Amino acid sequence: MPGKPATTMTASKSSAKRRGRPCKPRPLATSPHLDAFLDMLTAERGAAVNTRLAYERDLADLGRWLAQRSVALEGAGTEDLRAYLAVQSRDGAPRTVARRLSAMRQFYRFLLSEGRRVDDPASPLDSPKQGRPLPKILTEAEVGAMLSTAEARGGPEGLRLVALLEVLYATGLRVSELVGLPMTAIMRDGRGLLVRGKGGKERMVPLSDPALAALAAYIPLRGHFIPPVAGGDAGHSPFLFPSRSSGEGHLTRQRFAQLLKQLAIDSGIDPEKVSPHVLRHAFATHLLDHGADLRSVQKMLGHADIATTQIYTHVVTERLKKVMHDHHPLARRRVEEPSEG
């Protein structure tokens, strides 16, 4: 058989290498000071990679828009920024506009603190008005249905999925915290996890009995997901949920989300309702439903500010209102005025 052209083979190898490594984000910086600002976010504030990328995208978009007006990113005035936000308000959602304004405020505050500017052009800008959407949640019955469907699958894939679900529903971890858990996160007594969250802060979260049982069933088969080494034997992985195909060495957030969507379909649940973050919401809301105090939920979720956790009290209140309206015998009673005459 004729050999494969060298150029094709080279391209194929290059493509294979790319598939085996996590993609590096394309540089988006449009200002000599933007990189310094982003480095400060990482070094001084402990910003996560995704947070840094979000700031970079938002400020790069602003920089491109300003460049069309022949204005440098670091030299923008208040009216330039106000005009940009007006365009964003016409084309985007209030939450997106608010996020971009937050990035602008922090960037120009940084320039002021570094002596790169003598004023802060973003300080006079008003935040866009936006409602406070309540988080999506699943009912306890829906979570139970998904767990039953996962348990019925069996085998390494099914046991891993049950372990992921039980741990997430028992702890309310962020998805990045869950999939990146090292084996050393399991505490010595085996009753909880030591989780490193945002900003490198550690917190202890207890594990429920079902979560402990799910981990005990899954861990002996964990080697199924570890890439083999020479001789076909399973290699070593520091992660609780390793992956054979991920360049990160562990199950990715995207893959876990895909598994949840398929599990929802198999469980007869609308897949649009289901995501790892929705299960985090369900964890918090169901705890409050059953009498947990807000401070305990805050600690387990890893919220720095209890105000962030309070959104779940609104969810519980709205659900109680609906229960009252739908089921209380007097809720929809119509009082008829006696007719005259």
Side-chain angles (χ1 to χ4, degrees):
M1 291 179 64
K4 203 171 188 178
T7 54
T8 304
M9 291 181 68
T10 303
S12 177
K13 289 179 180 178
S14 176
S15 175
K17 287 181 179 179
R18 283 197 300 272
R19 286 195 296 270
R21 298 196 305 262
C23 295
K24 293 183 178 179
R26 293 170 57 189
L28 298 171
T30 57
S31 160
H33 306 300
L34 181 52
D35 283 333
F37 167 69
L38 296 171
D39 289 341
M40 181 276 295
L41 287 179
T42 303
E44 297 181 17
R45 300 187 189 176
V49 173
N50 288 339
T51 302
R52 177 184 170 119
L53 288 173
Y55 276 106
E56 188 173 8
R57 283 192 296 268
D58 287 342
L59 291 170
D61 185 79
L62 171 62
R64 286 190 290 269
W65 187 87
L66 289 169
Q68 295 174 356
R69 299 164 63 101
S70 300
V71 176
L73 178 61
E74 63 274 14
T78 299
E79 291 309 312
D80 295 316
L81 300 181
R82 186 171 282 123
Y84 171 75
L85 289 175
V87 173
Q88 296 299 306
S89 297
R90 289 197 301 268
D91 301 336
R95 289 177 67 85
T96 301
V97 179
R99 190 195 68 224
R100 292 189 170 179
L101 175 57
S102 175
M104 290 158 52
R105 283 175 171 161
Q106 295 195 52
F107 176 65
Y108 290 108
R109 200 175 299 146
F110 167 77
L111 294 182
L112 181 63
S113 68
E114 292 290 306
R116 304 293 181 178
R117 289 190 65 123
V118 296
D119 65 333
D120 179 359
S123 61
L125 300 175
D126 295 326
S127 299
K129 293 181 179 179
Q130 53 180 320
R132 192 181 191 187
L134 296 179
K136 297 178 182 178
I137 61 166
L138 294 167
T139 66
E140 294 180 41
E142 287 171 328
V143 175
M146 291 178 66
L147 282 166
S148 296
T149 303
E151 289 168 356
R153 291 183 178 178
E157 297 281 351
L159 290 173
R160 180 180 70 169
L161 189 52
V162 172
L164 284 161
L165 282 171
E166 289 284 12
V167 171
L168 180 53
Y169 188 52
T171 62
L173 296 183
R174 299 177 181 92
V175 62
S176 56
E177 295 170 344
L178 174 69
V179 297
L181 281 172
M183 287 293 293
T184 53
I186 301 176
M187 299 178 70
R188 288 184 179 179
D189 63 2
R191 303 296 304 179
L193 298 172
L194 191 61
V195 181
R196 186 178 295 275
K198 286 187 175 181
K201 295 180 180 178
E202 288 188 338
R203 68 186 190 278
M204 190 279 287
V205 290
L207 288 169
S208 64
D209 288 339
L212 290 169
L215 285 174
Y218 155 72
I219 287 176
L221 298 178
R222 174 175 159 270
H224 175 81
F225 303 98
I226 300 176
V229 293
D233 296 328
H236 171 75
S237 172
F239 298 109
L240 179 57
F241 299 107
S243 170
R244 287 173 173 258
S245 57
S246 167
E248 300 172 42
H250 58 73
L251 184 71
T252 64
R253 296 177 299 124
Q254 295 83 357
R255 179 56 182 155
F256 181 41
Q258 291 171 355
L259 292 172
L260 283 184
K261 295 287 187 187
Q262 186 57 55
L263 183 62
I265 293 170
D266 295 343
S267 305
I269 300 170
D270 180 0
E272 294 302 314
K273 291 178 60 177
V274 179
S275 73
H277 211 64
V278 167
L279 280 167
R280 175 172 160 89
H281 293 325
F283 157 81
T285 306
H286 296 168
L287 275 181
L288 291 171
D289 278 344
H290 289 275
D293 66 278
L294 201 61
R295 285 288 180 189
S296 297
V297 176
Q298 176 198 2
K299 289 179 181 179
M300 285 186 281
L301 289 173
H303 286 162
D305 189 345
I306 198 169
T308 308
T309 318
Q310 285 175 329
I311 185 65
Y312 297 107
T313 64
H314 294 284
V315 176
V316 174
T317 301
E318 290 302 314
R319 291 175 65 189
L320 288 174
K321 285 181 182 177
K322 187 175 187 307
V323 169
M324 175 70 75
H325 180 270
D326 291 346
H327 301 289
H328 195 285
L330 301 180
R332 288 179 291 180
R333 179 180 177 184
R334 295 182 179 179
V335 179
E336 298 181 0
E337 295 293 335
S339 59
E340 295 181 1

